[in-house]
Each structure stands twice: as C-alpha cells, then as structure tokens.
C-alpha cells in the first residue's frame, strides 16, 4: 500500500509539499517529523485500478 504524506505549514496548516511512499517508509518519515516538531497529514494514496 502507498501513502501520500503532506508536510504542513506551521502557521496556517496548508500543505507545503507532498510525497508518495510505500508503507514501509511511513514510520521513518513520521519519526523524523516528530523529532523536529513537523506537522504531517498522511492518507492512502490514490491508486488507479487496472
């Protein structure tokens, strides 16, 4: 499964940038964000159906 991770602006909470990663990478990204107090929004990535 893939997830879209958006980094949120500290002032207004609007998305600053976004990346799509596999499930195995989510924990590392969350740990890094927590270490520096960064706000994230994580949701399942849209995947096209074949």
């Amino acid at each position: 499964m893939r997830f879209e991770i958006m980094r949120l602006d500290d002032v207004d909470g609007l998305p600053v940038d976004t990346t799509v990663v596999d499930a195995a990478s989510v924990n590392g990204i969350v740990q890094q964000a927590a270490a520096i107090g960064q706000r994230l929004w994580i949701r399942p990535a849209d995947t096209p159906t074949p």
Side-chain angles (χ1 to χ4, degrees):
M1 182 168 204
R2 296 178 60 80
F3 292 89
E4 180 180 19
I5 300 177
M6 289 175 265
R7 186 170 54 95
L8 303 177
D9 184 76
D10 291 336
V11 177
D12 58 16
L14 294 174
V16 176
D17 61 21
T18 185
T19 187
V20 176
V21 298
D22 60 1
S25 301
V26 173
N27 187 43
I29 293 170
V30 169
Q31 293 296 325
Q32 289 174 345
I36 61 172
Q38 190 175 61
R39 296 168 53 193
L40 300 177
W41 179 16
I42 303 170
R43 64 182 181 180
D46 292 332
T47 54
T49 54

XYZ file of all heavy atoms in Angstrom:
379
model
N 0.850 -1.178 0.000
C 0.000 0.000 0.000
C 0.892 1.237 0.000
O 1.951 1.261 0.603
C -0.904 -0.026 1.228
C -1.843 1.130 1.299
S -3.091 0.839 2.560
C -4.350 1.886 1.928
N 0.424 2.270 -0.666
C 1.177 3.516 -0.750
C 0.404 4.617 -0.042
O -0.816 4.605 0.002
C 1.426 3.865 -2.211
C 2.301 2.801 -2.880
C 2.550 3.041 -4.332
N 3.225 4.288 -4.631
C 4.546 4.496 -4.518
N 5.323 3.557 -4.110
N 5.069 5.649 -4.840
N 1.162 5.562 0.530
C 0.565 6.661 1.276
C 1.083 7.986 0.750
O 2.247 8.102 0.362
C 0.910 6.549 2.768
C 0.257 5.381 3.432
C 0.866 4.149 3.454
C -0.982 5.517 4.020
C 0.261 3.059 4.063
C -1.602 4.437 4.627
C -0.977 3.206 4.642
N 0.201 8.982 0.761
C 0.575 10.349 0.426
C 0.848 11.069 1.744
O 0.026 11.056 2.649
C -0.562 11.037 -0.326
C -0.247 12.456 -0.710
C -1.389 13.112 -1.451
O -2.536 12.632 -1.373
O -1.125 14.125 -2.102
N 2.025 11.670 1.846
C 2.404 12.399 3.053
C 2.599 13.862 2.675
O 3.405 14.183 1.802
C 3.689 11.838 3.674
C 3.475 10.370 4.048
C 4.100 12.659 4.890
C 4.701 9.698 4.604
N 1.838 14.719 3.325
C 1.939 16.154 3.078
C 2.544 16.831 4.300
O 2.091 16.601 5.425
C 0.568 16.743 2.781
C 0.032 16.329 1.437
S -1.632 16.910 1.171
C -2.521 15.456 1.703
N 3.560 17.634 4.073
C 4.142 18.442 5.146
C 3.315 19.720 5.227
O 3.050 20.366 4.219
C 5.603 18.764 4.824
C 6.314 19.475 5.940
C 7.810 19.552 5.687
N 8.136 20.130 4.393
C 8.424 21.412 4.178
N 8.416 22.265 5.180
N 8.722 21.828 2.979
N 2.884 20.076 6.438
C 2.002 21.218 6.627
C 2.765 22.427 7.150
O 3.689 22.296 7.961
C 0.882 20.862 7.601
C 0.022 19.652 7.206
C -0.990 19.364 8.294
C -0.639 19.855 5.861
N 2.339 23.605 6.705
C 2.921 24.865 7.152
C 2.636 25.066 8.635
O 1.536 24.779 9.114
C 2.319 26.011 6.330
C 2.935 27.344 6.670
O 4.062 27.597 6.239
O 2.269 28.126 7.383
N 3.631 25.548 9.364
C 3.474 25.750 10.805
C 2.480 26.849 11.155
O 1.878 26.821 12.221
C 4.821 26.092 11.440
C 5.775 24.918 11.429
O 5.296 23.769 11.373
O 6.998 25.148 11.474
N 2.292 27.819 10.272
C 1.440 28.965 10.577
C -0.017 28.697 10.241
O -0.898 28.812 11.089
C 1.944 30.227 9.839
C 1.023 31.405 10.080
C 3.362 30.561 10.263
N -0.288 28.340 8.995
C -1.687 28.207 8.574
C -2.148 26.770 8.327
O -3.312 26.536 8.036
C -1.957 29.069 7.337
C -1.061 28.725 6.160
O -0.436 27.650 6.164
O -0.982 29.549 5.230
N -1.238 25.801 8.429
C -1.616 24.403 8.275
C -1.856 23.952 6.855
O -2.310 22.834 6.634
N -1.545 24.800 5.888
C -1.721 24.423 4.488
C -0.572 23.525 4.030
O 0.555 23.665 4.511
C -1.786 25.666 3.603
C -3.001 26.566 3.824
C -2.881 27.833 2.988
C -4.277 25.828 3.496
N -0.840 22.591 3.105
C 0.230 21.723 2.615
C 1.340 22.522 1.933
O 1.073 23.411 1.133
C -0.479 20.820 1.611
C -1.919 20.887 1.957
C -2.140 22.250 2.543
N 2.587 22.196 2.291
C 3.750 22.854 1.707
C 4.328 21.996 0.587
O 4.663 22.492 -0.476
C 4.826 23.110 2.781
C 6.080 23.701 2.175
C 4.274 24.021 3.858
N 4.472 20.702 0.845
C 4.912 19.775 -0.184
C 4.325 18.405 0.098
O 3.791 18.144 1.168
C 6.431 19.732 -0.316
C 7.132 19.278 0.948
O 6.501 18.624 1.799
O 8.325 19.567 1.089
N 4.407 17.538 -0.894
C 3.800 16.220 -0.766
C 4.700 15.173 -1.412
O 5.453 15.474 -2.336
C 2.398 16.214 -1.408
O 1.788 14.955 -1.171
C 2.449 16.478 -2.883
N 4.621 13.963 -0.881
C 5.351 12.841 -1.433
C 4.509 11.589 -1.270
O 3.674 11.504 -0.377
C 6.735 12.677 -0.760
O 7.466 11.681 -1.449
C 6.607 12.310 0.689
N 4.720 10.624 -2.138
C 4.026 9.344 -2.047
C 5.074 8.276 -1.758
O 6.091 8.201 -2.461
C 3.269 9.025 -3.355
C 2.629 7.642 -3.289
C 2.198 10.087 -3.618
N 4.834 7.497 -0.701
C 5.794 6.478 -0.277
C 5.078 5.163 -0.010
O 3.860 5.129 0.156
C 6.553 6.915 0.996
C 7.351 8.182 0.749
C 5.613 7.102 2.170
N 5.872 4.085 0.060
C 5.289 2.796 0.409
C 5.115 2.710 1.929
O 5.670 3.501 2.681
C 6.137 1.645 -0.119
C 7.547 1.635 0.436
O 7.888 2.502 1.259
O 8.317 0.755 0.038
N 4.343 1.745 2.365
C 4.003 1.623 3.783
C 5.240 1.460 4.659
O 5.277 1.952 5.788
C 3.048 0.451 3.985
N 6.267 0.790 4.165
C 7.472 0.557 4.952
C 8.219 1.850 5.269
O 8.957 1.912 6.256
C 8.394 -0.416 4.222
N 8.040 2.879 4.486
C 8.756 4.146 4.676
C 8.037 5.118 5.601
O 8.647 6.078 6.073
C 8.965 4.828 3.321
O 9.697 3.987 2.464
N 6.759 4.901 5.857
C 5.958 5.857 6.628
C 6.508 6.057 8.037
O 6.653 7.190 8.500
C 4.474 5.435 6.672
C 3.674 6.327 7.606
C 3.882 5.466 5.270
N 6.849 4.987 8.729
C 7.315 5.099 10.110
C 8.558 5.974 10.210
O 8.645 6.832 11.084
C 7.590 3.718 10.702
C 7.919 3.789 12.171
O 7.275 4.511 12.920
N 8.930 3.052 12.587
N 9.520 5.789 9.334
C 10.735 6.593 9.364
C 10.457 8.067 9.146
O 11.040 8.926 9.820
N 9.562 8.376 8.235
C 9.210 9.768 7.956
C 8.500 10.391 9.159
O 8.776 11.528 9.535
C 8.360 9.864 6.673
C 9.217 9.468 5.469
C 7.758 11.241 6.504
C 8.459 9.284 4.182
N 7.613 9.634 9.774
C 6.905 10.132 10.958
C 7.885 10.370 12.106
O 7.796 11.389 12.796
C 5.785 9.151 11.376
C 5.220 9.505 12.747
C 4.685 9.146 10.331
N 8.827 9.469 12.303
C 9.820 9.630 13.370
C 10.668 10.887 13.148
O 10.932 11.644 14.088
C 10.724 8.394 13.459
C 10.009 7.141 13.919
C 9.478 7.250 15.333
O 10.083 7.872 16.196
N 8.323 6.648 15.566
N 11.090 11.114 11.909
C 11.880 12.310 11.587
C 11.069 13.575 11.837
O 11.577 14.549 12.390
C 12.348 12.276 10.136
C 13.414 11.250 9.868
C 13.749 11.156 8.389
O 13.010 11.648 7.528
N 14.857 10.512 8.085
N 9.813 13.576 11.417
C 8.955 14.748 11.608
C 8.729 15.013 13.089
O 8.756 16.157 13.538
C 7.626 14.547 10.886
N 8.520 13.958 13.863
C 8.294 14.119 15.296
C 9.526 14.694 15.990
O 9.402 15.505 16.911
C 7.914 12.781 15.920
N 10.695 14.303 15.534
C 11.936 14.774 16.154
C 12.125 16.281 16.013
O 12.734 16.919 16.862
C 13.127 14.035 15.563
N 11.581 16.863 14.938
C 11.752 18.305 14.705
C 10.444 19.083 14.862
O 10.395 20.278 14.602
C 12.390 18.581 13.327
C 11.510 18.060 12.195
C 13.783 18.005 13.255
C 11.990 18.471 10.808
N 9.380 18.403 15.273
C 8.104 19.080 15.500
C 7.355 19.450 14.233
O 6.552 20.379 14.237
N 7.598 18.716 13.179
C 6.947 19.000 11.896
C 5.559 18.372 11.865
O 5.351 17.270 12.371
C 7.814 18.415 10.785
C 7.437 18.803 9.401
C 8.465 18.254 8.428
O 8.647 17.057 8.332
N 9.135 19.151 7.744
N 4.613 19.078 11.270
C 3.241 18.584 11.157
C 3.062 17.876 9.820
O 3.457 18.391 8.773
C 2.250 19.738 11.277
C 2.309 20.400 12.639
C 1.568 21.706 12.680
N 0.204 21.580 12.196
C -0.572 22.611 11.900
N -0.124 23.839 12.047
N -1.784 22.432 11.469
N 2.432 16.699 9.855
C 2.189 15.913 8.644
C 0.716 15.570 8.531
O -0.002 15.473 9.518
C 2.977 14.598 8.696
C 4.481 14.669 8.809
C 5.051 13.257 8.926
C 5.089 15.401 7.628
N 0.312 15.344 7.288
C -1.008 14.789 7.012
C -0.749 13.557 6.162
O -0.107 13.645 5.110
C -1.853 15.805 6.266
C -3.236 15.324 5.899
C -3.903 14.246 6.399
C -4.108 15.924 4.957
N -5.142 14.144 5.846
C -5.294 15.171 4.937
C -4.018 17.013 4.132
C -6.364 15.473 4.111
C -5.091 17.319 3.316
C -6.253 16.567 3.311
N -1.219 12.406 6.627
C -0.958 11.148 5.933
C -2.288 10.528 5.548
O -3.201 10.424 6.371
C -0.169 10.182 6.836
C 1.133 10.839 7.288
C 0.107 8.874 6.106
C 1.870 10.074 8.358
N -2.377 10.109 4.286
C -3.594 9.449 3.817
C -3.208 8.424 2.752
O -2.149 8.544 2.118
C -4.589 10.451 3.270
C -4.105 11.186 2.038
C -5.118 12.178 1.582
N -4.649 12.876 0.367
C -5.327 13.798 -0.246
N -6.510 14.174 0.219
N -4.849 14.379 -1.322
N -4.064 7.443 2.529
C -3.775 6.475 1.467
C -3.684 7.199 0.122
O -4.464 8.110 -0.153
C -4.972 5.526 1.487
C -5.560 5.688 2.855
C -5.279 7.109 3.257
N -2.708 6.804 -0.662
C -2.541 7.420 -1.983
C -3.575 6.851 -2.940
O -3.933 5.674 -2.856
C -1.130 7.170 -2.507
N -4.048 7.695 -3.823
C -4.970 7.227 -4.865
C -4.182 6.316 -5.806
O -3.127 6.710 -6.305
C -5.530 8.394 -5.660
C -6.458 9.247 -4.811
O -7.073 8.709 -3.873
O -6.575 10.458 -5.106
N -4.704 5.130 -6.014
C -4.053 4.221 -6.938
C -5.037 3.882 -8.048
O -6.187 3.537 -7.775
C -3.607 2.920 -6.238
O -4.729 2.351 -5.574
C -2.513 3.197 -5.230
N -4.594 4.016 -9.288
C -5.502 3.684 -10.392
C -5.821 2.191 -10.409
O -4.951 1.358 -10.121
C -4.722 4.104 -11.627
C -3.306 4.183 -11.208
C -3.295 4.421 -9.727
N -7.060 1.862 -10.698
C -7.444 0.459 -10.795
C -7.226 -0.029 -12.220
O -7.594 0.676 -13.171
C -8.918 0.261 -10.401
O -9.724 1.131 -11.178
C -9.123 0.552 -8.929
N -6.624 -1.191 -12.380
C -6.345 -1.699 -13.742
C -7.587 -2.132 -14.474
O -8.601 -2.383 -13.973
C -5.415 -2.876 -13.521
C -5.416 -3.170 -12.070
C -6.092 -2.038 -11.364
